[in-house]
Coordinates of all heavy atoms in Angstrom, one line a residue:
P586 N 9.8 -9.8 -2.0 CA 9.1 -9.0 -3.0 C 9.9 -7.7 -3.2 O 10.6 -7.2 -2.4 CB 7.8 -8.7 -2.3 CG 7.9 -9.2 -0.9 CD 9.1 -10.1 -0.8
L587 N 9.6 -7.2 -4.4 CA 10.2 -5.9 -4.7 C 9.4 -4.8 -4.1 O 8.2 -4.9 -3.8 CB 10.2 -5.7 -6.3 CG 10.9 -6.8 -7.1 CD1 10.7 -6.5 -8.6 CD2 12.4 -6.8 -6.7
D588 N 10.1 -3.7 -3.8 CA 9.4 -2.5 -3.1 C 8.9 -1.6 -4.2 O 9.5 -0.6 -4.5 CB 10.4 -1.9 -2.2 CG 9.8 -0.8 -1.3 OD1 8.5 -0.8 -1.1 OD2 10.5 0.1 -0.8
I589 N 7.7 -1.9 -4.7 CA 7.0 -1.0 -5.7 C 5.8 -0.4 -5.0 O 4.9 -1.1 -4.6 CB 6.6 -1.8 -6.9 CG1 7.8 -2.4 -7.6 CG2 5.9 -0.9 -7.9 CD1 7.5 -3.4 -8.7
K590 N 5.9 0.9 -4.8 CA 4.8 1.6 -4.1 C 3.5 1.7 -4.9 O 3.5 1.8 -6.1 CB 5.3 3.0 -3.7 CG 6.5 3.1 -2.9 CD 6.3 2.6 -1.5 CE 7.6 2.7 -0.7 NZ 7.6 1.8 0.4
R591 N 2.4 1.7 -4.2 CA 1.1 1.8 -4.8 C 0.9 3.3 -5.1 O 0.9 4.1 -4.2 CB 0.0 1.3 -3.8 CG -1.4 1.4 -4.3 CD -2.3 0.8 -3.3 NE -3.7 1.0 -3.7 CZ -4.7 0.4 -3.0 NH1 -4.4 -0.4 -2.0 NH2 -5.9 0.6 -3.4
P592 N 0.6 3.6 -6.4 CA 0.3 5.0 -6.7 C -1.0 5.5 -6.1 O -1.9 4.7 -5.7 CB 0.1 5.0 -8.2 CG 0.5 3.6 -8.7 CD 0.5 2.7 -7.5
K593 N -1.1 6.8 -5.9 CA -2.3 7.3 -5.3 C -3.6 7.0 -6.1 O -4.6 6.6 -5.5 CB -2.2 8.9 -5.2 CG -3.2 9.5 -4.4 CD -3.0 11.0 -4.3 CE -4.0 11.6 -3.4 NZ -3.8 13.1 -3.1
E594 N -3.5 7.0 -7.4 CA -4.6 6.6 -8.3 C -4.1 5.5 -9.2 O -3.1 5.7 -9.8 CB -5.1 7.8 -9.1 CG -5.8 8.8 -8.2 CD -6.5 9.9 -9.0 OE1 -6.9 9.6 -10.2 OE2 -6.7 11.0 -8.5
E595 N -4.8 4.4 -9.2 CA -4.4 3.3 -10.0 C -5.6 2.5 -10.5 O -6.6 2.3 -9.7 CB -3.5 2.4 -9.1 CG -2.9 1.2 -9.8 CD -2.0 0.4 -8.8 OE1 -2.3 0.2 -7.6 OE2 -0.9 0.0 -9.3
S596 N -5.6 2.0 -11.7 CA -6.6 1.1 -12.2 C -6.4 -0.3 -11.7 O -5.3 -0.7 -11.3 CB -6.7 1.1 -13.7 OG -5.6 0.4 -14.2
V597 N -7.4 -1.1 -11.7 CA -7.3 -2.5 -11.3 C -6.3 -3.2 -12.2 O -5.5 -4.0 -11.7 CB -8.7 -3.2 -11.3 CG1 -8.6 -4.7 -11.0 CG2 -9.6 -2.5 -10.3
I598 N -6.4 -3.0 -13.5 CA -5.4 -3.7 -14.4 C -4.0 -3.3 -14.1 O -3.1 -4.1 -14.0 CB -5.7 -3.3 -15.9 CG1 -7.1 -3.8 -16.3 CG2 -4.7 -3.8 -16.8 CD1 -7.2 -5.3 -16.4
K599 N -3.7 -2.0 -13.9 CA -2.4 -1.6 -13.5 C -1.9 -2.1 -12.2 O -0.8 -2.4 -12.0 CB -2.3 0.0 -13.5 CG -2.3 0.5 -14.9 CD -2.0 2.0 -15.0 CE -2.0 2.4 -16.4 NZ -1.7 3.8 -16.6
A600 N -2.9 -2.3 -11.3 CA -2.5 -2.9 -10.0 C -2.1 -4.3 -10.1 O -1.2 -4.8 -9.5 CB -3.7 -2.8 -9.0
I601 N -2.8 -5.1 -11.0 CA -2.4 -6.5 -11.2 C -1.0 -6.5 -11.8 O -0.2 -7.3 -11.4 CB -3.5 -7.2 -12.2 CG1 -4.8 -7.3 -11.4 CG2 -3.0 -8.5 -12.6 CD1 -6.0 -7.7 -12.3
K602 N -0.7 -5.6 -12.8 CA 0.6 -5.6 -13.4 C 1.7 -5.2 -12.3 O 2.7 -5.8 -12.3 CB 0.6 -4.6 -14.5 CG -0.1 -5.1 -15.7 CD -0.1 -4.0 -16.8 CE -0.9 -4.5 -18.0 NZ -1.0 -3.5 -19.1
R603 N 1.3 -4.3 -11.5 CA 2.3 -3.9 -10.4 C 2.5 -5.0 -9.4 O 3.7 -5.3 -9.1 CB 1.7 -2.6 -9.6 CG 2.5 -2.2 -8.4 CD 2.0 -1.0 -7.7 NE 0.6 -1.1 -7.3 CZ 0.2 -1.7 -6.2 NH1 1.1 -2.3 -5.3 NH2 -1.1 -1.8 -5.8
L604 N 1.5 -5.7 -9.0 CA 1.6 -6.8 -8.1 C 2.4 -8.0 -8.7 O 3.1 -8.6 -8.0 CB 0.2 -7.2 -7.6 CG -0.4 -6.1 -6.6 CD1 -1.9 -6.4 -6.4 CD2 0.3 -6.0 -5.3
S605 N 2.1 -8.2 -10.0 CA 2.9 -9.3 -10.7 C 4.3 -9.0 -10.7 O 5.2 -9.9 -10.6 CB 2.3 -9.4 -12.1 OG 1.0 -9.9 -12.1
T606 N 4.7 -7.7 -10.9 CA 6.1 -7.3 -10.9 C 6.6 -7.3 -9.5 O 7.8 -7.7 -9.2 CB 6.2 -5.9 -11.5 OG1 5.7 -5.9 -12.8 CG2 7.7 -5.4 -11.5
T607 N 5.8 -6.9 -8.5 CA 6.3 -6.9 -7.1 C 6.6 -8.3 -6.6 O 7.5 -8.5 -5.8 CB 5.2 -6.2 -6.2 OG1 5.0 -4.9 -6.7 CG2 5.6 -6.2 -4.7
Y608 N 5.8 -9.2 -7.0 CA 5.9 -10.6 -6.5 C 6.2 -11.5 -7.7 O 5.4 -12.4 -8.1 CB 4.6 -11.1 -5.9 CG 4.2 -10.3 -4.6 CD1 3.3 -9.3 -4.6 CD2 4.8 -10.7 -3.4 CE1 3.0 -8.6 -3.5 CE2 4.5 -10.0 -2.2 CZ 3.6 -9.0 -2.3 OH 3.2 -8.3 -1.1
P609 N 7.4 -11.4 -8.3 CA 7.8 -12.3 -9.5 C 7.8 -13.7 -9.1 O 7.7 -14.6 -10.0 CB 9.1 -11.7 -9.9 CG 9.7 -11.1 -8.7 CD 8.5 -10.6 -7.9
M610 N 8.0 -14.1 -7.8 CA 8.1 -15.5 -7.4 C 6.8 -16.2 -7.3 O 6.7 -17.4 -7.2 CB 8.9 -15.6 -6.1 CG 8.2 -15.0 -4.9 SD 7.9 -13.2 -4.9 CE 9.5 -12.5 -4.7
V611 N 5.7 -15.4 -7.3 CA 4.3 -16.0 -7.2 C 3.9 -16.6 -8.5 O 4.0 -15.9 -9.6 CB 3.3 -14.9 -6.7 CG1 1.9 -15.3 -6.9 CG2 3.6 -14.5 -5.3
N612 N 3.4 -17.8 -8.5 CA 2.9 -18.4 -9.7 C 1.5 -17.9 -9.9 O 0.5 -18.2 -9.2 CB 2.9 -20.0 -9.5 CG 2.4 -20.7 -10.7 OD1 1.9 -20.1 -11.6 ND2 2.6 -22.0 -10.7
K613 N 1.3 -17.1 -10.9 CA 0.0 -16.5 -11.2 C -1.1 -17.5 -11.5 O -2.2 -17.2 -11.4 CB 0.2 -15.5 -12.4 CG 0.7 -14.1 -12.0 CD 1.7 -14.0 -11.0 CE 2.7 -12.9 -11.2 NZ 4.1 -13.3 -10.9
E614 N -0.7 -18.6 -12.0 CA -1.6 -19.7 -12.4 C -2.4 -20.1 -11.1 O -3.6 -20.5 -11.2 CB -1.0 -20.9 -13.0 CG -0.5 -20.6 -14.4 CD 0.2 -21.8 -15.1 OE1 -0.1 -22.9 -14.6 OE2 0.9 -21.6 -16.0
N615 N -1.7 -20.0 -10.0 CA -2.4 -20.5 -8.7 C -3.5 -19.5 -8.3 O -4.3 -19.9 -7.5 CB -1.3 -20.6 -7.6 CG -0.4 -21.7 -7.8 OD1 -0.6 -22.6 -8.6 ND2 0.7 -21.7 -7.1
I616 N -3.4 -18.2 -8.7 CA -4.3 -17.2 -8.2 C -5.1 -16.6 -9.4 O -5.8 -15.6 -9.2 CB -3.6 -16.1 -7.4 CG1 -2.5 -15.5 -8.2 CG2 -3.2 -16.7 -6.1 CD1 -1.8 -14.3 -7.5
L617 N -5.0 -17.2 -10.6 CA -5.8 -16.7 -11.7 C -7.3 -16.6 -11.5 O -7.9 -15.6 -11.8 CB -5.5 -17.6 -13.0 CG -6.1 -17.1 -14.3 CD1 -5.6 -15.7 -14.6 CD2 -5.8 -18.1 -15.4
H618 N -7.8 -17.7 -10.9 CA -9.3 -17.7 -10.7 C -9.7 -16.6 -9.7 O -10.7 -15.8 -10.0 CB -9.7 -19.0 -10.2 CG -11.2 -19.2 -10.1 ND1 -12.1 -19.2 -11.1 CD2 -12.0 -19.2 -9.0 CE1 -13.3 -19.3 -10.7 NE2 -13.3 -19.3 -9.4
P619 N -9.1 -16.4 -8.6 CA -9.5 -15.3 -7.7 C -9.3 -13.9 -8.3 O -10.1 -13.0 -8.1 CB -8.6 -15.5 -6.5 CG -8.1 -16.9 -6.5 CD -8.1 -17.3 -7.9
I620 N -8.2 -13.8 -9.1 CA -8.0 -12.5 -9.8 C -9.1 -12.2 -10.7 O -9.6 -11.1 -10.8 CB -6.6 -12.5 -10.5 CG1 -5.4 -12.5 -9.5 CG2 -6.5 -11.3 -11.5 CD1 -4.1 -12.6 -10.2
S621 N -9.5 -13.2 -11.5 CA -10.6 -13.1 -12.4 C -11.9 -12.7 -11.7 O -12.6 -11.8 -12.2 CB -10.8 -14.4 -13.2 OG -11.8 -14.3 -14.1
G622 N -12.1 -13.3 -10.6 CA -13.3 -13.0 -9.8 C -13.3 -11.6 -9.3 O -14.4 -10.9 -9.4
L623 N -12.2 -11.1 -8.9 CA -12.1 -9.7 -8.4 C -12.3 -8.7 -9.6 O -13.0 -7.7 -9.4 CB -10.8 -9.5 -7.7 CG -10.7 -10.1 -6.4 CD1 -9.2 -10.1 -5.9 CD2 -11.6 -9.5 -5.4
M624 N -11.7 -9.0 -10.7 CA -11.9 -8.2 -11.9 C -13.4 -8.1 -12.3 O -13.9 -7.1 -12.6 CB -11.1 -8.7 -13.1 CG -9.7 -8.4 -13.1 SD -9.4 -6.6 -13.4 CE -10.2 -6.3 -14.9
T625 N -14.0 -9.3 -12.3 CA -15.5 -9.3 -12.6 C -16.3 -8.5 -11.6 O -17.2 -7.8 -12.0 CB -16.0 -10.8 -12.6 OG1 -15.2 -11.5 -13.6 CG2 -17.4 -10.9 -12.9
S626 N -16.0 -8.6 -10.3 CA -16.7 -7.8 -9.3 C -16.5 -6.3 -9.6 O -17.5 -5.6 -9.3 CB -16.3 -8.2 -7.9 OG -15.0 -7.7 -7.6
H627 N -15.4 -5.9 -10.1 CA -15.2 -4.5 -10.4 C -15.9 -4.1 -11.7 O -16.6 -3.1 -11.7 CB -13.7 -4.3 -10.5 CG -13.3 -2.9 -11.0 ND1 -13.7 -1.7 -10.3 CD2 -12.7 -2.5 -12.1 CE1 -13.3 -0.7 -10.9 NE2 -12.6 -1.1 -12.0
M628 N -15.7 -4.9 -12.7 CA -16.2 -4.4 -14.0 C -17.7 -4.7 -14.2 O -18.3 -3.8 -14.8 CB -15.4 -5.2 -15.1 CG -13.9 -4.8 -15.1 SD -13.0 -5.7 -16.4 CE -13.6 -4.7 -17.8
L629 N -18.2 -5.8 -13.7 CA -19.6 -6.1 -14.0 C -20.5 -5.8 -12.8 O -21.7 -5.5 -13.0 CB -19.7 -7.6 -14.3 CG -19.0 -8.0 -15.6 CD1 -19.2 -9.5 -15.8 CD2 -19.4 -7.2 -16.8
Q630 N -19.9 -5.8 -11.6 CA -20.8 -5.5 -10.4 C -20.6 -4.2 -9.8 O -21.2 -3.8 -8.8 CB -20.6 -6.7 -9.4 CG -20.9 -8.0 -10.0 CD -20.5 -9.2 -9.1 OE1 -19.8 -9.0 -8.1 NE2 -20.9 -10.4 -9.5
G631 N -19.6 -3.4 -10.3 CA -19.4 -2.1 -9.8 C -18.7 -1.9 -8.5 O -18.7 -0.8 -7.9
K632 N -18.0 -2.9 -8.1 CA -17.2 -2.8 -6.9 C -16.1 -1.8 -7.1 O -15.4 -1.7 -8.1 CB -16.6 -4.2 -6.5 CG -16.0 -4.2 -5.1 CD -15.7 -5.6 -4.7 CE -15.3 -5.7 -3.3 NZ -15.1 -7.1 -2.9
K633 N -15.8 -0.9 -6.1 CA -14.9 0.2 -6.2 C -13.5 -0.4 -6.5 O -13.1 -1.4 -5.8 CB -14.9 1.0 -5.0 CG -16.1 1.8 -4.9 CD -16.1 2.7 -3.6 CE -17.4 3.5 -3.5 NZ -17.3 4.5 -2.4
A634 N -12.7 0.3 -7.4 CA -11.4 -0.1 -7.7 C -10.5 -0.2 -6.4 O -9.7 -1.2 -6.3 CB -10.8 0.8 -8.7
E635 N -10.6 0.8 -5.6 CA -9.8 0.8 -4.4 C -10.0 -0.5 -3.5 O -9.0 -1.1 -3.0 CB -10.0 2.0 -3.5 CG -9.1 2.1 -2.3 CD -9.3 3.4 -1.5 OE1 -10.1 4.3 -2.0 OE2 -8.8 3.5 -0.4
E636 N -11.2 -0.9 -3.4 CA -11.5 -2.1 -2.6 C -11.0 -3.4 -3.3 O -10.4 -4.2 -2.7 CB -13.0 -2.3 -2.5 CG -13.7 -1.2 -1.6 CD -15.2 -1.4 -1.6 OE1 -15.7 -2.5 -1.8 OE2 -15.9 -0.4 -1.4
V637 N -11.1 -3.4 -4.6 CA -10.6 -4.6 -5.4 C -9.1 -4.6 -5.3 O -8.5 -5.7 -5.1 CB -11.1 -4.5 -6.9 CG1 -10.4 -5.6 -7.7 CG2 -12.6 -4.6 -6.9
I638 N -8.4 -3.5 -5.4 CA -7.0 -3.4 -5.3 C -6.5 -3.9 -3.9 O -5.5 -4.6 -3.8 CB -6.4 -2.0 -5.7 CG1 -6.7 -1.8 -7.2 CG2 -5.0 -1.9 -5.4 CD1 -6.5 -0.3 -7.6
N639 N -7.2 -3.5 -2.9 CA -6.9 -3.9 -1.5 C -6.9 -5.4 -1.4 O -6.0 -6.1 -0.9 CB -7.8 -3.3 -0.5 CG -7.6 -1.8 -0.3 OD1 -6.5 -1.3 -0.6 ND2 -8.5 -1.1 0.3
E640 N -8.0 -6.0 -2.0 CA -8.1 -7.5 -2.0 C -7.1 -8.1 -2.8 O -6.6 -9.2 -2.5 CB -9.5 -7.8 -2.5 CG -10.6 -7.4 -1.5 CD -12.0 -7.9 -1.9 OE1 -12.2 -9.0 -2.4 OE2 -12.9 -7.0 -1.8
L641 N -6.7 -7.5 -4.0 CA -5.6 -8.1 -4.8 C -4.3 -8.1 -4.1 O -3.5 -9.1 -4.1 CB -5.5 -7.3 -6.1 CG -6.6 -7.5 -7.2 CD1 -6.5 -6.4 -8.2 CD2 -6.4 -8.9 -7.8
E642 N -4.0 -7.0 -3.4 CA -2.8 -6.9 -2.6 C -2.8 -8.0 -1.5 O -1.7 -8.7 -1.3 CB -2.6 -5.5 -1.9 CG -2.3 -4.5 -3.0 CD -2.1 -3.1 -2.4 OE1 -2.7 -2.8 -1.3 OE2 -1.5 -2.3 -3.0
D643 N -3.9 -8.2 -0.8 CA -4.0 -9.3 0.1 C -3.8 -10.7 -0.5 O -3.1 -11.6 0.0 CB -5.3 -9.3 0.9 CG -5.5 -8.1 1.8 OD1 -4.4 -7.5 2.2 OD2 -6.6 -7.8 2.2
L644 N -4.4 -10.9 -1.7 CA -4.3 -12.2 -2.4 C -2.8 -12.4 -2.8 O -2.3 -13.6 -2.5 CB -5.2 -12.1 -3.6 CG -5.1 -13.3 -4.6 CD1 -5.6 -14.5 -3.9 CD2 -5.9 -13.0 -5.8
F645 N -2.1 -11.5 -3.4 CA -0.8 -11.7 -3.7 C 0.1 -11.9 -2.5 O 1.0 -12.8 -2.6 CB -0.2 -10.5 -4.5 CG -0.5 -10.6 -6.0 CD1 -1.7 -10.2 -6.6 CD2 0.5 -11.0 -6.9 CE1 -1.9 -10.3 -7.9 CE2 0.3 -11.1 -8.3 CZ -0.9 -10.7 -8.8
L646 N -0.1 -11.2 -1.4 CA 0.7 -11.4 -0.2 C 0.5 -12.8 0.3 O 1.4 -13.5 0.7 CB 0.3 -10.3 0.8 CG 1.1 -10.5 2.2 CD1 2.6 -10.4 2.0 CD2 0.6 -9.4 3.1
R647 N -0.8 -13.3 0.4 CA -1.0 -14.6 0.9 C -0.4 -15.7 0.0 O 0.2 -16.6 0.6 CB -2.6 -14.9 1.0 CG -3.2 -14.2 2.1 CD -4.7 -14.7 2.3 NE -5.5 -14.8 1.1 CZ -6.2 -13.8 0.6 NH1 -6.3 -12.6 1.3 NH2 -6.9 -13.9 -0.5
E648 N -0.4 -15.5 -1.3 CA 0.2 -16.5 -2.2 C 1.7 -16.4 -2.0 O 2.4 -17.5 -2.0 CB -0.2 -16.2 -3.6 CG 0.3 -17.2 -4.6 CD -0.2 -18.6 -4.4 OE1 -1.3 -18.8 -3.7 OE2 0.5 -19.6 -4.8
Y649 N 2.3 -15.2 -1.8 CA 3.7 -15.1 -1.6 C 4.1 -15.9 -0.3 O 5.1 -16.6 -0.3 CB 4.1 -13.6 -1.5 CG 5.5 -13.4 -1.0 CD1 6.6 -13.7 -1.7 CD2 5.7 -13.0 0.3 CE1 7.9 -13.6 -1.2 CE2 7.0 -12.8 0.8 CZ 8.1 -13.1 0.1 OH 9.3 -13.0 0.6
E650 N 3.3 -15.6 0.7 CA 3.6 -16.3 2.0 C 3.5 -17.8 1.9 O 4.3 -18.5 2.4 CB 2.7 -15.7 3.1 CG 3.1 -14.3 3.5 CD 2.1 -13.6 4.4 OE1 1.0 -14.2 4.6 OE2 2.5 -12.6 5.0
A651 N 2.5 -18.3 1.2 CA 2.3 -19.7 1.0 C 3.5 -20.3 0.2 O 4.0 -21.4 0.5 CB 1.0 -20.0 0.2
T652 N 4.0 -19.5 -0.8 CA 5.1 -20.0 -1.6 C 6.4 -20.0 -0.8 O 7.1 -21.0 -0.9 CB 5.3 -19.0 -2.8 OG1 4.1 -19.0 -3.6 CG2 6.5 -19.4 -3.7
T653 N 6.6 -19.0 0.0 CA 7.8 -19.0 0.8 C 7.8 -20.1 1.9 O 8.8 -20.6 2.2 CB 8.1 -17.6 1.4 OG1 7.0 -17.2 2.2 CG2 8.4 -16.6 0.3
N654 N 6.6 -20.3 2.4 CA 6.5 -21.4 3.5 C 6.7 -22.8 2.9 O 7.3 -23.6 3.5 CB 5.1 -21.4 4.1 CG 4.9 -20.2 5.0 OD1 5.9 -19.6 5.5 ND2 3.7 -19.8 5.3
K655 N 6.3 -23.0 1.6 CA 6.6 -24.3 0.9 C 8.1 -24.4 0.7 O 8.6 -25.5 0.9 CB 5.9 -24.3 -0.4 CG 4.4 -24.6 -0.4 CD 3.8 -24.6 -1.8 CE 2.3 -24.5 -1.8 NZ 1.8 -24.4 -3.1
N656 N 8.7 -23.4 0.4 CA 10.2 -23.4 0.1 C 11.0 -23.6 1.4 O 12.1 -24.1 1.4 CB 10.7 -22.2 -0.6 CG 10.1 -22.1 -2.0 OD1 9.7 -23.1 -2.6 ND2 10.1 -20.9 -2.5
D657 N 10.4 -23.2 2.6 CA 11.1 -23.4 3.8 C 11.0 -24.8 4.4 O 11.8 -25.2 5.2 CB 10.5 -22.4 4.9 CG 10.9 -21.0 4.6 OD1 11.8 -20.7 3.8 OD2 10.2 -20.1 5.2
E658 N 10.0 -25.6 3.9 CA 9.8 -26.9 4.4 C 10.8 -27.9 3.8 O 11.4 -27.9 2.8 CB 8.4 -27.4 4.1 CG 7.4 -26.6 4.8 CD 6.0 -26.9 4.5 OE1 5.7 -27.8 3.6 OE2 5.1 -26.4 5.1

């Protein structure tokens, strides 16, 4: 992954763009549904952006690790 630091203040949309750039090898189609669910929890259910961004970072990292593990086999 690229070393793109998380800004002090960031919107959920900008975080998704940052993470997509950070993990260019991740197939976004594989995580589109969970990303959509997190966006919905933020926009419609009022979940704090910081919490959603933390979960997005975990999601992208897990998908990256799954991708690299597949390539190692």
Side-chain angles (χ1 to χ4, degrees):
L587 302 175
D588 186 22
I589 301 174
K590 301 293 182 200
R591 179 176 175 173
K593 188 173 184 177
E594 291 187 26
E595 182 177 43
S596 71
V597 173
I598 296 292
K599 287 188 178 185
I601 292 169
K602 290 179 182 179
R603 173 179 57 82
L604 291 165
S605 293
T606 303
T607 300
Y608 296 98
M610 68 295 291
V611 167
N612 183 348
K613 280 33 151 223
E614 290 180 22
N615 292 345
I616 56 175
L617 182 60
H618 185 71
I620 289 172
S621 177
L623 288 167
M624 277 295 301
T625 299
S626 72
H627 172 61
M628 296 180 74
L629 300 179
Q630 299 168 353
K632 191 169 189 176
K633 292 183 180 184
E635 185 176 351
E636 293 174 27
V637 172
I638 294 169
N639 289 341
E640 291 181 42
L641 284 166
E642 288 180 338
D643 290 342
L644 175 65
F645 272 83
L646 178 59
R647 285 192 312 270
E648 185 62 22
Y649 167 73
E650 289 172 346
T652 300
T653 55
N654 287 339
K655 284 181 193 173
N656 293 337
D657 289 343
E658 294 175 355

